[in-house]
Amino acid sequence: RMERQAQQTLAALGIGIGCLAPSSSPHSPPPPTIPQSPLSPPPPPVPPPPPPPPPSLPYLHVPVADEGAGKSKRAQPSKDWWQREVLPRSLQYVHSHLTQGRRVLICCERGDDRSVAVAAAALLALFEPGCARLRRPAPPMGGRRCASKEEVRAVVALLQGTHPAAHLPRSLLKELHNFFVAPGGGWLSLRLGEAAGEAG
């Protein structure tokens, strides 16, 4: 019941979390295997990854290495990639679409970590406390305050109630804390309302 309420809340806010490769999450049980006899046909081939969105749908692609797949943080283009590129560009893009009444789907390969971090950032930056509704207008730079770790935890809990496969590793939680909780974090100087380019 709580999971359904959380899903309805997030859907009403216009935010969804998705994955590009269903059933590949390390946090969900593997599909059952069927023992093969020497006479049984070979298993069907693995389907190819889904195609990119049609050109008629706007989207923003921010490349982020999957640290959860065994890649280290050094796989990112720079040490401050999340602070300088991922969160600012993503928040500007999500803000521009939500304020126009559009819905936003945030995806990563498995839909369980990087997309959750960006969705949590959107809830912290763009919605009133408790995630009841979109802040209109967005808070001006001079009128913002740092979030608390408790606020970050509450937003992550909401997302996990909506999307049970969600798993926010400590490294991504730290990125959220650096952006929203730390004095001088990127949230305090983020310019909202400026269009983030749509890219492939």
Side-chain angles (χ1 to χ4, degrees), residues 15-175:
I15 293 181
I17 300 173
C19 66
L20 299 176
S23 76
S24 63
S25 172
H27 307 291
S28 58
T33 57
I34 301 170
Q36 296 289 315
S37 74
L39 302 175
S40 61
V46 176
S56 62
L57 294 176
Y59 70 98
L60 172 71
H61 176 246
V62 182
V64 182
D66 185 2
E67 296 171 29
K71 297 179 182 174
S72 73
K73 189 171 183 176
R74 293 187 188 119
Q76 307 302 350
S78 67
K79 184 179 176 183
D80 62 347
W81 188 245
W82 274 86
Q83 304 303 309
R84 191 171 46 84
E85 289 290 328
V86 177
L87 293 175
R89 287 182 62 199
S90 299
L91 290 173
Q92 289 168 343
Y93 186 82
V94 170
H95 177 261
S96 71
H97 285 274
L98 290 179
T99 55
Q100 294 175 39
R102 297 180 185 151
R103 293 178 179 262
V104 177
L105 177 64
I106 303 168
C107 298
C108 64
E109 186 175 353
R110 294 185 314 269
D112 65 353
D113 55 6
R114 293 163 291 167
S115 57
V116 175
V118 171
L123 293 176
L124 286 164
L126 307 176
F127 290 85
E128 293 184 358
C131 301
R133 63 179 181 209
L134 189 65
R135 294 181 195 189
R136 289 186 187 265
M141 283 190 288
R144 296 181 191 159
R145 64 170 183 79
C146 293
S148 67
K149 288 184 178 182
E150 291 75 27
E151 289 172 305
V152 174
R153 273 195 292 269
V155 164
V156 170
L158 172 67
L159 292 170
Q160 288 172 330
T162 304
H163 193 61
H167 170 73
L168 201 60
R170 188 175 297 173
S171 62
L172 295 183
L173 190 59
K174 184 177 178 183
E175 297 291 357

